[in-house]
């Protein structure tokens, strides 16, 4: 699909608030995940209902109009028809009495903001000629009743199919004109005319009643929304996620022994996200996000980065600010975003996987998106989204995590702050294919990439004193590269995948570390019902493929070295992970109502920790999501 603003509006493009949120599942963008929740973005947006949203012509077909039809019919029945003044009039009346009950009327845009001037003859329509079978009937309506005006481009469009509702709207316009003409005695009305009108009123009385009911229903909804809206300028959206999950028992290999997995008990995770959208103008928006959560799947071992779920966000039920950013659209081509919280690549880059969402997408943290996009895991900063043309867009971001700590971090990172700067180019060669390339340069003071997925820790940190405070130090400078693609084969089948590579230089000494990850997936939108989604994901979490760090700083050998090697003094030998972990996930999202979805799923992790000596992990989860 082409990356137009209409089609690819993301959280970056005013967080979908410049076109405020759709409802189908775009892709919901989320915030960094390590040790905290992802922002749970609303999947749908209530329509801004007002009188302007009513169907064309419907606003004229309300109760007073139906009463007018009935009054008009009564007037016809009680009216003494004036005698014809000429023989020609008599011939016309006699001729009309022999015609079919009524000639087809074709719907015109009666509510067009710029209707064309009155046309006094049917031949004036550019697409009507005297040879057309309904030419005479159309001329009669134009000349005798002056109730059909055509389209602004001078056409009548007589071959376009119409519904009974459209016919009722056109009929209403002609009946209104007849009423005015009769009241002014400005027309010769025949008995056949009155009988034909009476038949039409009877025939379409049901359709007019249905239209009146539709209008009344829409007006009631508008009144209800206006009476209950949070603010005239601020809209409130919320999402509540409740998950029940557990995993199989097992153990993992550490330096000196095998340790049990302490996080296998079935538990409950809750996460609540409130988002307030304050719109200052059609092109500007302030987003304020509030989040509170309880529960996690960690369990106190290094496998946490392999078993983490997308909707985790344990704040011990305390409320925190998850987003505070200002977004502005410039000339319908460039959106800019700036703020102290919630500004990072995850919220600025457009994801190629359009079901990415903590509340509605895959269950695991890894299957949400390419971990490359989360490198740096910043919060404060600035970004942009430029729609170059229909086929290309470019996003950019600069972010840091300690902007409010001038002593140790600041806007430029300082001694202990993480910083990241990156670009993403999205290409859409066809409407059904999206390709995205990412590049991020990041600095980390503690040896972590900041993704919270797979091999996130690259360097064993040591304690260091800075400004009389102790910090873990293992500074690395990272270049991260990502490539993702998605192909929507049919409306109900989508395939895609991504790959990511990082290369990090150890700033405290010589040496470096490389990692890579990949994922393939197939999604089945609307499977067994509109709004449902099935997904199957298989891939490899980030893995340290090579490392030549100094002795004692290399992560794979530090955590996987056997007791014999430790005693021999070989702790921290250079090298990558001994094996490869694989992630298999299947889930099915079932939409119960417009606001409630249930997602059961299962995850299997082979060789967790990229070590075949570790037991296979099986995870089962059921996630319930409520939006309001």
């Amino acid at each position: 699909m082409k990356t137009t603003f209409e089609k690819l509006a993301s959280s970056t493009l005013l967080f979908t608030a410049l076109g405020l949120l759709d409802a189908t599942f775009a892709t919901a963008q989320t915030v960094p995940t390590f040790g905290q929740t992802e922002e749970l973005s609303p999947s749908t947006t209530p329509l801004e209902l007002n009188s302007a949203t009513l169907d064309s012509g419907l606003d004229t077909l309300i109760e007073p109009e139906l009463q007018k039809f009935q009054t008009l019919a009564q007037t016809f029945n009680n009216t003494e028809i004036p005698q014809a003044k000429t023989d020609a009039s008599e011939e016309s009346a006699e001729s009309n009495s022999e015609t079919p009950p009524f000639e087809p009327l074709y719907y015109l845009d009666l509510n067009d903001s710029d209707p064309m001037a009155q046309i006094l003859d049917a031949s004036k329509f550019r697409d009507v000629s005297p040879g057309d079978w309904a030419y005479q009937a159309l001329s009669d309506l134009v000349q005798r009743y002056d109730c059909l005006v055509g389209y602004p481009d001078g056409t009548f469009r007589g071959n376009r199919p119409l519904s009974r509702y459209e016919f009722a709207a056109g009929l209403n316009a002609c009946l209104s004109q007849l009423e005015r003409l009769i009241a002014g005695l400005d027309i010769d009305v025949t008995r056949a005319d009155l009988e034909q009108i009476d038949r039409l009123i009877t025939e379409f009385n049901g359709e007019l009643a249905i239209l009146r009911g539709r209008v009344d229903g829409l007006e009631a909804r508008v009144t209800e929304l206006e009476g209950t809206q949070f603010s005239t300028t601020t809209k409130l959206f919320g999402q509540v996620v409740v998950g029940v999950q557990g995993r199989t028992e097992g153990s993992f290999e550490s330096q000196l022994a095998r340790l049990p997995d302490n996080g296998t008990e079935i538990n409950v995770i809750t996460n609540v996200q409130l988002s307030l959208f304050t719109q200052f103008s059609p092109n500007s928006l302030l987003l304020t996000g509030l989040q509170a959560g309880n529960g996690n799947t960690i369990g106190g071992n290094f496998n946490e980065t392999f078993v983490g779920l997308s909707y985790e966000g344990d704040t011990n039920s305390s409320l925190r600010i998850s987003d505070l950013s200002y977004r502005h659209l410039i000339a319908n081509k460039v959106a800019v975003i700036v703020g102290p919280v919630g500004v990072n690549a995850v919220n600025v880059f457009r994801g190629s996987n359009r079901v990415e969402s903590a509340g509605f997408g895959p269950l695991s943290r890894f299957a949400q998106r390419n971990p490359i996009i989360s490198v740096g895991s910043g919060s404060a900063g600035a970004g942009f989204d430029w729609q170059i043309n229909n086929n290309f867009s470019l996003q950019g971001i600069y972010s840091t995590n300690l902007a409010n700590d001038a002593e140790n971090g600041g806007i430029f990172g300082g001694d202990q702050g993480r910083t990241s700067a990156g670009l993403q180019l999205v290409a859409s060669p066809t409407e059904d294919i999206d390709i995205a390339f990412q590049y991020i340069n990041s600095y980390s003071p503690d040896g972590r990439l900041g993704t919270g997925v797979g091999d996130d820790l690259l360097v064993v940190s040591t304690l260091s004193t800075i400004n009389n405070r102790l910090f873990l130090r293992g500074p690395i400078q990272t270049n991260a590269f990502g490539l993702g693609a998605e192909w929507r084969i049919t409306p109900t089948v989508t395939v895609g995948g991504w790959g990511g590579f990082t290369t990090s230089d150890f700033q405290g000494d010589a040496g470096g570390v490389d990692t890579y990850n990949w994922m393939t997936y197939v999604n089945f939108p609307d499977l067994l019902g509109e709004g449902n989604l099935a997904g199957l994901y298989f891939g490899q979490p980030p893995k340290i493929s090579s490392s030549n760090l100094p002795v004692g700083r290399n992560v794979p050998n530090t955590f996987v070295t056997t007791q014999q090697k430790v005693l021999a003094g070989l702790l921290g030998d250079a090298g990558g992970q001994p094996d490869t972990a694989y992630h298999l996930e299947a889930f099915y999202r079932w939409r119960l109502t417009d606001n409630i979805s249930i997602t059961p799923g299962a995850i299997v992790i082979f060789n967790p920790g990229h070590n075949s000596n570790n037991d296979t992990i099986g995870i089962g989860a059921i996630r319930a999501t409520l939006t309001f």
Side-chain angles (χ1 to χ4, degrees):
M1 184 175 287
K2 298 181 178 180
T3 54
T4 60
F5 262 56
E6 176 183 354
K7 168 191 61 159
L8 283 179
S10 69
S11 61
T12 306
L13 296 175
L14 308 186
F15 218 104
T16 71
L18 298 179
L20 262 175
L21 300 175
D22 127 18
T24 185
F25 279 86
T27 170
Q29 302 293 344
T30 55
V31 298
T33 60
F34 184 71
Q36 60 184 2
T37 186
E38 299 182 2
E39 179 180 326
L40 307 178
S41 304
S43 62
T44 57
T45 303
L47 295 176
E48 295 292 334
L49 293 176
N50 51 51
S51 59
T53 64
L54 302 181
D55 293 340
S56 177
L58 294 185
D59 54 338
T60 63
L61 298 176
I62 54 179
E63 182 69 31
E65 297 303 313
L66 186 59
Q67 294 176 354
K68 179 177 66 178
F69 300 153
Q70 296 169 344
T71 302
L72 181 60
Q74 185 65 35
T75 302
F76 291 158
N77 292 333
N78 298 333
T79 300
E80 180 179 354
I81 307 303
Q83 297 296 322
K85 297 181 180 179
T86 63
D87 294 341
S89 298
E90 293 176 354
E91 292 176 0
S92 175
E94 182 179 355
S95 175
N96 287 337
S97 66
E98 297 174 355
T99 60
F102 61 89
E103 295 286 349
L105 291 175
Y106 290 88
Y107 175 69
L108 301 179
D109 191 353
L110 301 175
N111 289 330
D112 198 294
S113 60
D114 186 22
M116 64 183 250
Q118 176 182 350
I119 295 179
L120 300 179
D121 186 81
S123 63
K124 299 300 182 180
F125 292 114
R126 292 195 295 108
D127 56 347
V128 176
S129 64
D132 292 334
W133 68 272
Y135 177 81
Q136 186 58 48
L138 179 59
S139 292
D140 287 346
L141 288 171
V142 173
Q143 294 175 345
R144 295 181 61 191
Y145 304 118
D146 188 23
C147 63
L148 298 181
V149 296
Y151 287 88
D153 61 359
T155 62
F156 181 67
R157 307 179 191 178
N159 292 323
R160 184 178 69 83
L162 81 163
S163 67
R164 290 174 68 88
Y165 293 128
E166 292 176 305
F167 183 87
L171 174 63
N172 176 57
C174 287
L175 292 179
S176 298
Q177 179 68 354
L178 279 174
E179 182 183 26
R180 291 192 294 270
L181 293 174
I182 292 175
L185 297 179
D186 194 24
I187 187 173
D188 293 335
V189 180
T190 67
R191 175 61 63 183
D193 290 332
L194 300 180
E195 292 175 352
Q196 179 170 308
I197 292 172
D198 190 48
R199 287 196 299 271
L200 289 174
I201 292 174
T202 302
E203 174 73 15
F204 286 94
N205 188 64
E207 279 72 21
L208 295 176
I210 292 174
L211 288 172
R212 182 180 68 250
R214 290 176 60 188
V215 172
D216 291 344
L218 288 173
E219 289 181 340
R221 291 180 62 187
V222 170
T223 301
E224 179 182 359
L225 287 174
E226 290 177 346
T228 59
Q229 64 183 355
F230 181 77
S231 166
T232 57
T233 58
T234 299
K235 305 298 181 182
L236 173 65
F237 301 97
Q239 181 167 275
V240 178
V241 175
V242 178
V244 178
Q245 54 283 308
R247 63 176 182 260
T248 58
E249 293 184 0
S251 60
F252 65 96
E253 189 173 65
S254 183
Q255 294 172 332
L256 302 177
R258 293 188 63 81
L259 301 178
D261 184 350
N262 298 320
T264 60
E265 293 185 3
I266 295 176
N267 68 335
V268 177
I269 292 176
T270 60
N271 206 325
V272 179
Q273 185 81 26
L274 300 177
S275 298
L276 293 89
F277 296 86
T278 302
Q279 193 164 1
F280 301 109
S281 71
N283 290 349
S284 63
L285 172 78
L286 176 66
L287 171 62
T288 304
L290 303 174
Q291 183 264 331
N294 187 272
N296 58 69
T297 62
I298 301 305
N301 61 58
F302 77 98
N303 280 331
E304 64 189 54
T305 58
F306 291 84
V307 300
L309 301 179
S310 61
Y311 48 90
E312 293 184 47
D314 192 356
T315 67
N316 198 26
S317 299
S318 61
L319 191 67
R320 70 177 182 89
I321 297 177
S322 59
D323 203 318
L324 185 61
S325 57
Y326 175 77
R327 302 146 194 266
H328 187 77
L329 182 64
I330 303 173
N332 295 324
K333 287 291 184 180
V334 180
V336 295
I337 174 174
V338 62
V341 184
V343 181
N344 47 61
V346 172
N347 279 343
V348 174
F349 290 1
R350 308 182 189 183
S352 58
N353 184 2
R354 302 194 177 187
V355 303
E356 168 187 327
S357 169
F360 294 92
L363 294 170
S364 71
R365 190 180 296 166
F366 174 42
Q368 283 293 301
R369 68 187 66 83
N370 191 336
I372 297 301
I373 300 175
S374 300
V375 167
S377 61
S379 182
F384 71 88
D385 188 347
W386 176 24
Q387 186 67 49
I388 302 173
N389 55 41
N390 288 342
N391 300 98
F392 293 94
S393 69
L394 181 69
Q395 296 88 49
I397 184 67
Y398 172 81
S399 185
T400 183
N401 72 324
L402 291 180
N404 60 342
D405 186 349
E407 182 179 1
N408 297 295
I411 191 64
F412 298 109
D415 293 323
Q416 283 301 116
R418 291 192 301 266
T419 60
S420 59
L423 293 171
Q424 175 179 256
L425 178 66
V426 180
S428 298
T430 72
E431 292 186 351
D432 299 316
I433 296 177
D434 293 326
I435 303 172
F437 173 77
Q438 302 96 18
Y439 168 74
I440 293 179
N441 181 275
S442 175
Y443 171 81
S444 171
D446 57 6
R448 292 184 179 273
L449 290 175
T451 64
V453 176
D455 279 346
D456 180 51
L457 179 63
L458 306 187
V459 178
V460 178
S461 299
T462 59
L463 287 174
S464 178
T465 302
I466 300 176
N467 296 330
N468 296 320
R469 295 172 62 184
L470 287 176
F471 294 98
L472 285 174
R473 296 291 292 172
I476 56 174
Q477 191 77 37
T478 299
N479 289 296
F481 305 87
L483 178 65
E486 181 174 280
W487 178 23
R488 291 166 292 284
I489 301 175
T490 71
T492 57
V493 179
T494 298
V495 297
W498 69 67
F501 172 78
T502 70
T503 178
S504 303
D505 292 327
F506 182 36
Q507 302 294 291
D509 204 335
V513 185
D514 295 341
T515 76
Y516 71 95
N517 82 94
W518 57 268
M519 173 68 80
T520 60
Y521 62 84
V522 56
N523 292 321
F524 302 95
D526 298 328
L527 182 66
L528 303 180
E530 184 179 357
N532 298 339
L533 174 71
L536 182 63
Y537 287 66
F538 180 72
Q540 175 206 291
K543 169 188 174 180
I544 296 177
S545 58
S546 66
S547 175
N548 59 356
L549 297 177
V551 173
R553 308 305 292 267
N554 186 34
V555 170
N557 289 103
T558 298
F559 285 100
V560 181
T561 300
T562 63
Q563 182 176 2
Q564 289 76 18
K565 285 189 176 183
V566 171
L567 295 177
L570 299 178
L571 178 64
D573 287 348
Q577 294 284 18
D579 301 295
T580 300
Y582 294 102
H583 178 108
L584 176 63
E585 178 174 350
F587 66 90
Y588 181 74
R589 187 188 70 216
W590 177 28
R591 190 177 75 168
L592 297 180
T593 70
D594 290 341
N595 303 99
I596 301 176
S597 295
I598 302 294
T599 308
I603 303 167
V604 180
I605 303 170
F606 305 94
N607 306 326
H610 299 293
N611 185 354
S612 60
N613 290 326
N614 292 338
D615 295 332
T616 297
I617 297 175
I619 303 172
I622 300 178
R623 177 185 64 196
T625 305
L626 166 67
T627 60
F628 57 91

